[in-house]
Amino acid sequence: MRIKSILIIVTVIGLITTFIACQKDFLQIPAVSGSTTIDSTFGTTEKALLAVRTAYKGCLSQGLPYRNDPWNAMIQDNMTGSLFYGHAWGIARNIVISGLNSTSTNEDMEGFNSNYNFIRQANLIRENINKVRDMSDADKAIIKAEMKALIAYRYCQMFIMYGGVPIVSHSLTTTDDLAIPRSSAKAVLDSVVTWCDEALPVLPSEWPGNWEGRMTKAAVLSVKAKIQLFAARPLFNTASPYLSLGERNDLICLGNVDPDRWKTAALTAEAVIREAETNAAAYIIDTNNPLDDYGTATSTPSNPEVLLAFKFVNTSGDNGGWNTLPMTAFYYPRINGEHSSAAGFTLLPSQLENYYKQDGTDQTWPALDAITPFADYLKRMDEMEPRFKADFMPYERSAWNNPGDANWSNTSIGLGYSNGAARSVKFYYKAGTRRWFEFPIFRLAFAYLAAAEAYNEMGQATDALLKLNKIHERAGLPAITETDRDKLRLLIQREWAIEFHKENFRLHEMKHWKLPNIGNGLIGGPVRGFGYNNNTTLKTTGNTNYSIRIIYQGFWSPKQYLNPFPQSEINKGYLIQNPGY
């Protein structure tokens, strides 16, 4: 059976109110071994698996839409200048215009401390699962490995956002010293790799259907590959950090330039591919129908390309409310004419220009402020590559990714913000009336592009092109043949931007590669958008012209390469703040 999405366990039936109360204590109160809460939670397999589900949901939530709020749904893509930032009162708007700060506005939307709440959940399970009497030792060992994998994932994400962070190796209690200082970036990197290596031999390659979606070997290898890839990129792979922390530069860089970090990343990416394709029935979907292939890979639940996803059970039908879709309602497109995030977070030129035309050449767009007939807009949009057509819905066009479906017609999806070039419909390929989707944390394509990037930095262009073109040609585009390392690097970065749009890679790729234009039209500086009908009103039909224009000035400072720690924690004296905040 294929294992592809993180299915947080669904076989438990008859959740009773008394256990919900115990679960709340389990999540919020530092429990002591032998207490009523611990004994209740780990009294039976059924109750323990509910705790496992909660740990999955918490540990994998980092970077995903904030508190099920569709208007704060795409923080990372808003910050890159890929999508318009949305409502003026939205969290994204404050970050885009004013930047990150240590008191209120942070990309780590649920707050720095929430990382440790979720890590503690996983540690409590790891430490107490042996108390469950009606569970086999083999199953207990697997759950321990799952918790290590979840902890590794959460630390991987913190490493990318903060650099070195406090390492907590067990569930803290009221008797522990809670003022744990930051560990070095290298110590966090080494810890994540160690946890992955310890979990790997215990986890299965696949799960039977009723358990589909729990951590697998390919999933934990993907976590390891991700942190090693970011360790190899220039932000951390240096002797001199982006800003000085004096004697504690080890908190924000690895202290030297080591080319072998690329080799390490390449080897692990290859291991992901080998494990996924050999043992887990995973593969890059490629049936010579590029729109269908990419649409399926990014949108269809439990498809064979997804190794790990943020998934929950929809218990009330496709049109269930927010409270009943706590994990799948993100980017919630309220179809049938309602104002929606699909229309609201519209495409900006910096991302539009990454996509190729369907013949593999670059599309050209009018010069800044040039008023151009709207027929030209439609012609250029029709010429775009299949991945663009799976991701976006231009004005006066119905969604290509839901052909012939009235729910996704031009008049059924609201116009939203007129600053954008098109409406965002990714993750809803042939969705019909389905409002939810499963966020893909790792697709197999990640490993191919990670390997391509690493091989190119190693000077192995042939190997890099072999991996890159697996993804590029799947999109119906002609093979890339460039072998110059600097030029190929740009093409690989462009492929990341296209293939993984809205999958939470672009922002950190921009930062960790320290892209030269990061402060001039991407995160900061003059950000371009579209205007229609002499920059007056966008219409469902009958638009006469369009133009590209500056719509706002984004904020950028080098301090934003990494996130700030909360000032409230800094004031306690146990954490060193990242430079510039």
Side-chain angles (χ1 to χ4, degrees), residues 206-226:
E206 294 187 273
W207 289 88
N210 59 319
W211 297 114
E212 185 188 60
R214 294 169 66 177
M215 274 281 185
T216 62
K217 293 182 188 296
V220 75
L221 280 169
S222 296
V223 176
K224 181 178 176 181
K226 183 174 185 179

Side-chain angles (χ1 to χ4, degrees), residues 8 89 95 119 206 316 324 342 422 491 537:
I8 312 302
W89 45 258
I95 296 176
I119 288 168
E206 294 187 273
S316 62
T324 57
L491 292 172
T537 303

Side-chain angles (χ1 to χ4, degrees), residues 369-389:
D369 295 322
I371 303 296
T372 307
F374 194 77
D376 176 88
Y377 166 94
L378 294 175
K379 176 179 179 295
R380 295 177 195 274
M381 289 293 177
D382 289 342
E383 293 172 345
M384 299 302 290
E385 63 154 296
R387 288 179 295 186
F388 177 85
K389 293 182 176 180

Side-chain angles (χ1 to χ4, degrees), residues 12-35:
V12 179
I13 300 174
L15 178 58
I16 56 176
T17 303
T18 53
F19 179 70
I20 293 175
C22 290
Q23 188 184 45
K24 183 176 180 181
D25 291 340
F26 169 71
L27 298 180
Q28 297 179 359
I29 300 175
V32 179
S33 179
S35 71

Side-chain angles (χ1 to χ4, degrees), residues 146-415:
E146 289 177 271
M147 296 304 104
K148 281 191 177 181
L150 291 176
I151 291 168
Y153 176 76
R154 197 77 190 197
Y155 271 102
C156 172
Q157 298 298 99
M158 284 198 288
F159 173 83
I160 291 167
M161 289 192 297
Y162 296 99
V165 295
I167 297 175
V168 179
S169 58
H170 64 283
S171 59
L172 300 175
T173 71
T174 54
T175 61
D176 286 308
D177 182 2
L178 304 182
I180 302 172
R182 295 176 68 179
S183 295
S184 69
K186 184 179 186 303
V188 177
L189 168 64
D190 291 345
S191 295
V192 170
V193 170
T194 296
W195 294 327
C196 290
D197 286 343
E198 290 172 349
L200 183 63
V202 183
L203 294 172
S205 295
E206 294 187 273
W207 289 88
N210 59 319
W211 297 114
E212 185 188 60
R214 294 169 66 177
M215 274 281 185
T216 62
K217 293 182 188 296
V220 75
L221 280 169
S222 296
V223 176
K224 181 178 176 181
K226 183 174 185 179
I227 197 169
Q228 289 174 335
L229 183 68
F230 276 90
R233 287 171 170 167
L235 186 66
F236 286 161
N237 194 4
T238 180
S240 301
Y242 61 99
L243 292 173
S244 177
L245 263 183
E247 294 181 354
R248 294 311 315 267
N249 281 342
D250 65 321
L251 296 177
I252 56 174
C253 75
L254 294 173
N256 65 335
V257 178
D258 185 355
D260 282 346
R261 291 190 179 107
W262 288 113
K263 180 179 180 180
T264 299
L267 289 172
T268 305
E270 288 282 18
V272 175
I273 296 169
R274 185 168 54 252
E275 164 61 27
E277 295 184 346
T278 302
N279 299 321
Y283 56 89
I284 299 295
I285 300 170
D286 188 357
T287 66
N288 295 317
N289 184 337
L291 177 57
D292 183 75
D293 294 339
Y294 180 73
T296 300
T298 57
S299 303
T300 301
S302 301
N303 77 77
E305 190 170 316
V306 176
L307 305 178
L308 184 66
F310 194 63
K311 180 177 179 178
F312 201 76
V313 174
N314 175 5
T315 58
S316 62
D318 283 345
N319 296 318
W322 285 102
N323 292 333
T324 57
L325 294 174
M327 298 174 72
T328 55
F330 298 135
Y331 310 120
Y332 196 87
R334 295 179 180 178
I335 55 180
N336 297 323
E338 297 178 26
H339 194 62
S340 66
S341 61
F345 295 95
T346 47
L347 172 67
L348 297 184
S350 67
Q351 175 65 13
L352 169 65
E353 291 164 350
N354 285 318
Y355 290 90
Y356 297 90
K357 292 170 63 175
Q358 58 192 7
D359 64 2
T361 62
D362 293 341
Q363 181 62 282
T364 58
W365 297 94
L368 195 68
D369 295 322
I371 303 296
T372 307
F374 194 77
D376 176 88
Y377 166 94
L378 294 175
K379 176 179 179 295
R380 295 177 195 274
M381 289 293 177
D382 289 342
E383 293 172 345
M384 299 302 290
E385 63 154 296
R387 288 179 295 186
F388 177 85
K389 293 182 176 180
D391 288 351
F392 296 102
M393 177 181 176
Y395 300 110
E396 296 198 21
R397 287 282 184 268
S398 295
W400 286 299
N401 71 348
N402 280 268
D405 190 329
N407 296 297
W408 297 88
S409 71
N410 177 52
T411 56
S412 293
I413 297 294
L415 291 173

